[in-house]
Amino acid sequence: MRGHEAILRQFLANGIDHMFGNPGTVEQGFLDALSDVPEMKYILTLQESIAVLCADGYARARFKPALVQIHSSPGLGNAIGNLYQAMKGQAPLVVIGGDSGIKYQAMDAQMAADLVAMAEPVTKWSAMVQHPSSLLRMLRRAIKIASTPPCGPVYLCLPEDILDSEVTETIFPAHIPSYNTAPHPDELLKVVDLIKSANNPIILAGDGVAWTHGVEPLVELAEAIGAKVYSADGGEINFPDDHLLNYGSTGHMFGSASLPITKSCDLCIALGCYLLPEVFPELGDIFNDDAKIVHVDTNVNNIAKNHRVDISYVSRPGSVIEELLPLVRALPAEWHNLSLTRRKKIESESPVVNNRVDENYGIPDDANNSNIDGKSIFMRSGPFIKRLSEKAPENTIIFDEALTNSPPVSKYFPGRKAGDRMMTRGGSLGTGFPGGIGAKLAHPDRCVIAFSGDGGSMYTIQTLWTAARHGVNTKFVVCQNRSYRLLQANITQFWKERGIEGRDFPLAFDLSNPQVKFHDIAIGLGVMAESVETPDQIESAIDRMLGYDGPYLINLVLDGDVHPELVGVHCGQ
């Protein structure tokens, strides 16, 4: 058996039976071998970044590794940005890329590049197979490294002359080491002592919680100790969206937003995250001097990375919590009564019920506003998202890249367990639609709705063709506010910090002229679609989308701070 076929059978041995890719000439041999190995399903995408994002959604929905095939140097370049976000989100992607051959490396031939070095900054491991005798060995190593916590993408270059050779190795599954370890009980008693003496504990939860099956144990721990739970830039459901102890996110942009949170506690338990993943983080101490910090993660590099830690464990957060719970339950009844009192107070003030989401997003005002015409007066997203949540199946999976329209998504489609709702992370745009395709392929029996904005969706809009090509019945919603609204919010903070007043948003943030007709693009790519511009169109459009047996897109035209009349007036704009 030659390497072209052997690699496919090696992946199948590990239960990996979907390959997300974009073909190139130097990969032609093993793509040709696909016809001899029908168990491997090839999902054709139109660009390498989309292949990565579809696989990312697939891996995140299954919590198992996914396979990506990309072209050589140009293809790897296309994939780099989304490999970065996969690494930030701990997605176990096995990325294989082609090369013309070891024998040509001295020639500086067309598409020659140091592929291993290109991939290294955005992967856990990057390598090239150098000899046929180690082809399957290195594939198994790639699968193992990608799948071992902290999970993440790996890159393995497969030169064509290596794949042309006969394989002498035996095919057997890669072994995934267990990280299901826990500290000694005496060590955990130190944490219990800190919990016992804390008056205002908080928990920071990252994606390491979801990826180590720690959501349910974390709920029990938070309830037992009466702690607010914050997401530390999580892309997964690490704590139920609608649990009253859920106090939202620390934020991914400004340290000034998270600092009041970290300064408010006397005990911080950080689980499966690092402190703190922001674009503009706080440079000084983020905790009070008398606060105690406990940090648990499978990634040793995350622990004490930027700020002081008192107790830490390199372990699966879920495993540590499960060992800690019996010790917490054994605390005196007096402590439990105090904890319960604290919990009830936190729950009564919870942002889950004390929020202005309905008011800010037009519920119910916009639903009853007959003046909204979608031309001069526009609606907000709330009425559509609320009605969609009432009509969608109960176990619907959400891929949420709605960004500035995410608050009503999380309120009306609350994720309660890992995999219910996935969000973008790592700063990449364009994750929503390909991620929704991957999630649907992972769970064909569940309804999957993918939200994106008009800015984000244009990064990967050609992914709709993949949905049509493979009959992937994902439902797509473009929240079209005709702007980069998140950038408008960020520059508002920029102006505030510098005392700048009276400025208009840069026209570079304005997407209103020409206004993109996403429904027309979708139809051109083979996906049924329509535009929803007024409240009276909502009900029937949702019925058509959910009732359609195939991919369907709704272009939801929304209110935005835009000035189409100025575009083209100023030179360069």
Side-chain angles (χ1 to χ4, degrees), residues 190-226:
K190 298 176 183 178
V191 179
V192 174
D193 286 341
L194 296 180
I195 290 172
K196 186 178 178 181
S197 60
N199 293 312
N200 189 24
I202 66 170
I203 296 172
L204 302 181
D207 287 342
V209 174
W211 279 94
T212 59
H213 310 291
V215 176
E216 289 185 11
L218 177 55
V219 169
E220 188 172 350
L221 177 66
E223 291 176 347
I225 69 177

Side-chain angles (χ1 to χ4, degrees), residues 89-251:
Q90 302 185 31
L93 305 185
V94 180
V95 182
I96 56 174
D99 180 77
S100 58
I102 297 287
K103 62 186 177 185
Y104 299 117
Q105 291 201 345
M107 302 296 292
D108 193 24
Q110 176 81 333
M111 295 191 295
D114 190 345
L115 301 173
V116 173
M118 285 176 65
E120 277 179 345
V122 293
T123 56
K124 280 184 69 179
W125 179 72
S126 178
M128 174 186 286
V129 180
Q130 300 288 339
H131 194 273
S133 63
S134 288
L135 172 62
L136 302 188
R137 177 180 294 113
M138 293 192 73
L139 278 180
R140 287 190 291 271
R141 187 180 303 171
I143 296 169
K144 183 202 77 168
I145 293 172
S147 307
T148 302
C151 301
V154 299
Y155 172 77
L156 185 61
C157 182
L158 305 175
E160 189 171 63
D161 50 3
I162 298 293
L163 296 178
D164 277 335
S165 302
E166 287 289 328
V167 170
T168 58
E169 295 177 272
T170 302
I171 296 173
F172 58 88
H175 174 72
I176 313 303
S178 172
Y179 263 51
N180 195 22
T181 58
H184 190 277
D186 290 347
E187 284 289 314
L188 288 175
L189 286 173
K190 298 176 183 178
V191 179
V192 174
D193 286 341
L194 296 180
I195 290 172
K196 186 178 178 181
S197 60
N199 293 312
N200 189 24
I202 66 170
I203 296 172
L204 302 181
D207 287 342
V209 174
W211 279 94
T212 59
H213 310 291
V215 176
E216 289 185 11
L218 177 55
V219 169
E220 188 172 350
L221 177 66
E223 291 176 347
I225 69 177
K228 298 176 182 177
V229 181
Y230 295 91
S231 170
D233 196 33
E236 314 295 347
I237 296 299
N238 300 299
F239 195 78
D241 283 331
D242 55 356
H243 195 291
L244 293 178
L245 294 178
N246 190 330
Y247 265 62
S249 171
T250 59

Side-chain angles (χ1 to χ4, degrees), residues 331-364:
L331 287 171
E334 181 183 358
W335 177 87
H336 280 284
N337 290 334
L338 291 172
S339 174
L340 181 60
T341 300
R342 179 169 60 236
R343 174 186 168 185
K344 288 182 176 179
K345 182 176 187 299
I346 292 171
E347 290 178 338
S348 70
E349 300 170 353
S350 174
V352 170
V353 290
N354 299 290
N355 61 69
R356 300 179 67 183
V357 171
D358 286 0
E359 178 184 349
N360 291 339
Y361 289 89
I363 301 173

Side-chain angles (χ1 to χ4, degrees), residues 352-528:
V352 170
V353 290
N354 299 290
N355 61 69
R356 300 179 67 183
V357 171
D358 286 0
E359 178 184 349
N360 291 339
Y361 289 89
I363 301 173
D365 295 352
D366 287 14
N368 304 315
N369 188 346
S370 59
N371 293 320
I372 294 173
D373 59 8
K375 298 193 172 40
S376 59
I377 302 174
F378 297 86
M379 64 180 171
R380 289 165 287 181
S381 64
F384 176 89
I385 292 170
K386 182 174 185 292
R387 192 67 182 122
L388 179 59
S389 73
E390 293 165 352
K391 287 177 168 285
E394 187 174 347
N395 66 342
T396 294
I397 295 173
I398 299 296
F399 203 111
D400 179 7
E401 197 195 13
L403 299 180
T404 53
N405 284 289
S406 285
V409 176
S410 61
K411 177 173 182 175
Y412 289 106
F413 286 99
R416 298 187 175 96
K417 61 183 184 301
D420 279 355
R421 185 166 70 93
M422 290 163 272
M423 293 144 278
T424 186
R425 66 272 199 270
S428 295
L429 284 178
T431 61
F433 287 0
I437 291 174
K440 182 63 178 179
L441 287 167
H443 295 287
D445 57 327
R446 295 177 66 179
C447 177
V448 175
I449 302 174
F451 290 88
S452 189
D454 42 355
S457 62
M458 282 301 292
Y459 276 65
T460 55
I461 194 67
Q462 64 268 50
T463 197
L464 296 175
W465 182 91
T466 295
R469 163 77 171 230
H470 295 282
V472 183
N473 189 10
T474 303
K475 310 305 179 185
F476 305 97
V477 178
V478 181
C479 296
Q480 189 183 21
N481 51 38
R482 296 157 293 126
S483 61
Y484 290 122
R485 195 154 191 168
L486 185 61
L487 296 183
Q488 292 177 339
N490 291 342
I491 201 170
T492 300
Q493 179 69 17
F494 174 89
W495 290 332
K496 180 180 178 182
E497 291 174 350
R498 291 157 178 79
I500 299 172
E501 298 180 355
R503 303 282 291 177
D504 292 328
F505 292 128
L507 282 178
F509 298 173
D510 191 317
L511 304 176
S512 64
N513 188 4
Q515 183 170 323
V516 180
K517 297 184 183 299
F518 288 94
H519 51 296
D520 288 344
I521 295 175
I523 291 170
L525 292 169
V527 171
M528 189 65 72

